[in-house]
Amino acid sequence: MAALYVHQVGPGVAVQDLGRSGFLAKGLTRGGAADRLAVYEGAALLRQSPDFAVLEMVGVGGTFEAAEDMRIALTGAEMTAQINGSTAAWNASHTLAKSSVLTIGPTRAGTYGYLHVGGGFATEQMLGSRATHQSCGLGELVTAGDVLPIQSDRGGDVGLALPRDSRFDGGSIRIVPSMQTNDFADETRNRFEVTTFRRDPRANRQGIRMDSDGEGFSTPKALGIVSEVIVPGDIQITGDGTPFVLMAESQTTGGYPRIGTVLPCDMPRVAQAPAGATLQFQFVGLEDGAAIEARAHAAWAALPKAVTPLVRDPATLQDLLSYQLIGGAVSATDAPLDEG
């Protein structure tokens, strides 16, 4: 079986997929990749299923060696990347030949970067998923010396790219009303919408704190809330009026009031916002939210149609001789289009 040798790796690097569904009643949130869109992007670049496991990297990647020839793709937060010392484009697919060394450095924009391999990683499945769920103790972080097995790859093209979008710098986040939204005064909800928040450095896969200037956000009914089910995307307001957006590995119940819930399709923007990035929250109705979500799902499913050939510098092509370079050549002395 093909494998990827891990020579060096940053903190928080883990195998992830789209997570586990159906365990909320048993106290286990879905987990999985913090940026699910990045998983779909990598699948589109490699022409394979988004259900395959990927490597999620937080802030910095590592140094990896290919045990066999393989295809890879790089998506999510842009990181410095090199194959045998030559720059590898981000949001693109590449060939990683046997014994080649892939070096992934720190992020340039965003928070979570992703390494995809043709066939997907073949680590142990637990409860129907290969996702590492740190807060529940399912799986372990990747460490130096690990050998990550890879499933058989059906093969396909490489040298493909997708356009970058703007989800790595914060921006507008759409939310729908939650269980306690109407417990907040109209003035408080309106102020919440017009407030510019900053993504606090205190953040992890369980939740992200949002900082702002001015007074906090509170409701007099906060102390009467009974602990109840919560889901990723819920925005809890703590006792001091600070909002926390719950992320992929959030708890399953809680008693803090929720002023709203982030649409799932906007969660990648929240996850990728680097510390200090500004975000604003915009309420949309449930029907509008469902329509927005449906359009986003359709766009994610259509990503393979958006893939284009990667424009590469011939000077950096290690496999230059494998390319057919004369198909578009024309004669300097024979110009048939000028005849007649």
Side-chain angles (χ1 to χ4, degrees), residues 251-274:
Q251 68 275 25
T252 56
T253 60
Y256 287 119
R258 290 164 287 175
I259 198 168
T261 301
V262 177
L263 291 181
C265 62
D266 280 0
M267 287 293 284
R269 185 176 294 275
V270 178
Q272 291 289 10

Side-chain angles (χ1 to χ4, degrees), residues 282-316:
Q282 173 192 359
F283 278 105
V284 297
L286 290 176
E287 289 187 5
D288 288 341
I292 293 168
E293 195 67 22
R295 289 194 295 270
H297 285 181
W300 292 14
L303 280 171
K305 298 179 181 178
V307 170
T308 59
L310 175 64
V311 178
R312 303 169 71 183
D313 182 355
T316 66

Side-chain angles (χ1 to χ4, degrees), residues 54 97 118 141 150 173 233 265:
V54 305
L141 295 178
I150 297 172
I173 308 297
C265 62

Side-chain angles (χ1 to χ4, degrees), residues 35 44 88 99 164 171 198 203 252 263 325 335:
D35 181 354
S99 299
R164 300 278 290 168
R198 296 179 300 276
T252 56
L263 291 181
L325 301 175

Side-chain angles (χ1 to χ4, degrees), residues 184-197 212-219 241 243 259 280-281 283:
F184 292 85
D186 290 345
E187 180 275 331
T188 303
R189 295 198 304 268
N190 293 337
R191 185 163 53 85
F192 186 81
E193 277 198 279
V194 300
T195 296
T196 298
F197 293 93
S212 65
D213 299 324
E215 64 178 301
F217 305 85
S218 61
T219 168
I259 198 168
Q280 282 190 299
F281 297 97
F283 278 105

Side-chain angles (χ1 to χ4, degrees), residues 126-144:
M126 293 171 284
L127 300 178
S129 170
R130 293 186 168 90
T132 302
H133 200 301
Q134 298 173 42
S135 61
C136 288
L138 292 175
E140 297 180 351
L141 295 178
V142 175
T143 60

